[in-house]
Amino acid sequence: METSSPARRALARVRWPLVAAVGPVAFGSTYFVTHHFLPGDAPLWGSALRALPAGVVLLLVARRLPRGSWWWRSVVLGTLNMGIFFCLVYVAAQLLPSSVAASLMSLSPLAIAGAAWLLLRERPTPRVVVGAAVGGAGVLLIVGTATGALDGWGIAASVASMALSSVGAVLTKRWQDGTPVLTVTAWQLVVGGVELLVAAALVEGAPPALSGTEVLAFAYVSLVATALGFVCWFSGFRHLPAGAVGVIGLLNPVTGVTLGVAVGGEVLTGSQALGIALVLASIVLVNLPGGTRRRGEQPDLEVEPAQRVAASSSSSTCT
């Protein structure tokens, strides 16, 4: 028993960072799949076909509709994290070189930490700030120098998508009340998917005809890279400080480069290898013992939300 308790604590400490890491790894894989297997002339339909099926599948699994304040919360979160976010990301991808877009998104850990400070009173620790800086430097090395045409609307779209998704992720953490992460994610994806579906029909007309390969690619992007990815991503925000999860999010460009090398036949340069090492080092830094727990926070990483609600029934704060 003496040895199992430290082992369990160590497992709990790495469990949620690993779960959270599934999110950006899944998101990063969408670049490769979209570039090689999906049509590029219908971005709104592409976003709708990514979000809505994922939301419907998760909703069928959760079997629960919003109640009370979760009706308007789901609209707010679905719009910030899915609807507007997916649209702005597509605009940025169309107007900016990928290196510029990735360089701007490397600031997302600081944006998430700032939003958490304002909305959660979760002051970023020095480790999170240093980790964000080291990881951001790593991303810059991965994508290379940000050269290319700097379209003003593209920069605005990229910065806005980063800011809105950061606020949306932190609000998801702020509004947690014991409702399962899978359920909350399902509601957001359905709302964002419906918004994107309406926008696609109004702007792009009829949906594009899809080949068998494209259907399979959309199935992967929707069910794995979106449904699974966002459930794991929001699980990280539930169990870890927001700033630490933001640094873990830098695995997104790392995944894109790694897939390009492993599957796409691209060559890994020395600066990219150094950048990947810096990103991994930054994630380890913010998740070292004592580096992610806020002052006074109890080590409840292994307690499920429903159990926490039951344990706190004496205060009756959840409905």
Side-chain angles (χ1 to χ4, degrees):
M1 217 47 175
E2 297 267 345
T3 58
S4 63
S5 182
R8 289 185 63 187
R9 286 199 297 269
L11 178 61
R13 190 175 300 282
V14 301
R15 174 187 176 187
W16 292 113
L18 289 176
V19 169
V22 173
V25 170
F27 305 152
S29 69
T30 61
Y31 299 132
F32 181 85
V33 175
T34 300
H35 181 73
H36 287 86
F37 300 107
L38 294 181
D41 55 350
L44 288 174
W45 274 112
S47 297
L49 292 174
R50 174 185 177 184
L52 189 56
V56 170
V57 169
L58 291 183
L59 192 60
L60 290 175
V61 174
R63 293 181 152 188
R64 179 175 174 182
L65 292 175
R67 293 195 296 264
S69 61
W70 272 112
W71 282 107
W72 67 264
R73 288 179 178 180
S74 299
V75 173
V76 172
L77 296 177
T79 301
L80 293 176
N81 291 326
M82 314 297 174
I84 295 179
F85 175 70
F86 285 170
C87 286
L88 291 175
V89 166
Y90 263 106
V91 170
Q94 289 175 343
L95 298 180
L96 293 176
S98 58
S99 60
V100 175
S103 299
L104 291 172
M105 291 303 289
S106 70
L107 299 173
S108 60
L110 295 176
I112 291 174
W117 194 352
L118 291 174
L119 298 175
L120 302 176
R121 304 299 175 95
E122 185 181 290
R123 187 169 183 172
T125 65
R127 284 191 190 181
V128 168
V129 175
V130 173
V134 172
V139 171
L140 294 179
L141 287 174
I142 291 170
V143 301
T145 46
T147 59
L150 299 180
D151 185 275
W153 287 112
I155 293 176
S158 184
V159 172
S161 68
M162 175 182 63
L164 292 178
S165 64
S166 298
V167 171
V170 172
L171 284 177
T172 303
K173 181 178 179 70
R174 177 176 179 173
W175 288 338
Q176 64 185 22
D177 59 357
T179 305
V181 172
L182 185 146
T183 304
V184 174
T185 307
W187 297 338
Q188 294 184 54
L189 283 168
V190 169
V191 169
V194 170
E195 292 174 345
L196 290 164
L197 184 69
V198 172
L202 292 176
V203 176
E204 297 176 350
L210 302 177
S211 66
T213 300
E214 290 170 337
V215 170
L216 291 176
F218 267 120
Y220 170 81
V221 168
S222 181
L223 300 180
V224 177
T226 301
L228 176 63
F230 274 106
V231 168
C232 292
W233 181 240
F234 291 141
S235 295
F237 277 99
R238 175 160 294 192
H239 293 278
L240 298 169
V245 181
V247 176
I248 294 173
L250 294 177
L251 286 172
N252 190 323
V254 170
T255 303
V257 171
T258 302
L259 280 176
V261 172
V263 184
E266 299 175 9
V267 178
L268 184 69
T269 66
S271 61
Q272 287 177 323
L274 177 58
I276 291 174
L278 287 177
V279 170
L280 296 178
S282 70
I283 294 171
V284 172
L285 175 64
V286 300
N287 287 286
L288 284 173
T292 60
R293 189 182 302 167
R294 290 167 288 175
R295 189 181 343 190
E297 184 179 17
Q298 297 300 314
D300 61 347
L301 296 181
E302 293 187 305
V303 181
E304 294 301 319
Q307 294 172 309
R308 290 204 300 274
V309 174
S312 61
S313 58
S314 59
S315 61
S316 301
T317 56
C318 297
T319 59

